[in-house]
Amino acid sequence: MDGSRTKPRTRIEIDGREFLLDGDRDLVDLMARIEAAARSEPTFVDISSRGGLVSVLVSPGARVVISVAHEGRDHDHAPPIPPIGDWDL
């Protein structure tokens, strides 16, 4: 099997803005930095995306979605799943 077919593709969405991350990015470290920023005063978090380096201001109210897909799999061509809205309690 060709190893390039299963290369992970990581996307991060912060407040509706989507970034495609570099493949060599340490995702666990990035998630920890986003969590720390969300627990503090608004803080910039650097994200190395395929489009270059981006600094995103993360605050406690930020909505962050991280997804990892493997290229070359059938589900890559499926329509995106709409985000789940906040529950009305």
Side-chain angles (χ1 to χ4, degrees), residues 16-72:
R17 174 95 189 256
E18 187 176 90
F19 304 94
L20 184 59
L21 301 183
D22 287 338
D24 60 350
R25 175 52 123 174
D26 182 355
L27 186 57
V28 174
D29 174 63
L30 177 60
M31 290 172 68
R33 290 187 297 120
I34 291 171
E35 280 186 69
R39 290 185 180 130
S40 67
E41 293 293 319
T43 304
F44 280 99
V45 175
D46 293 331
I47 298 174
S48 178
S49 71
R50 291 190 180 169
L53 181 66
V54 177
S55 293
V56 180
L57 186 63
V58 177
S59 63
R63 295 189 65 145
V64 178
V65 176
I66 297 174
S67 62
V68 179
H70 294 275
E71 294 178 1

Side-chain angles (χ1 to χ4, degrees), residues 69-87:
H70 294 275
E71 294 178 1
R73 301 253 173 108
D74 291 340
H75 65 272
D76 284 348
H77 302 291
I81 298 171
I84 300 172
D86 293 336
W87 291 13

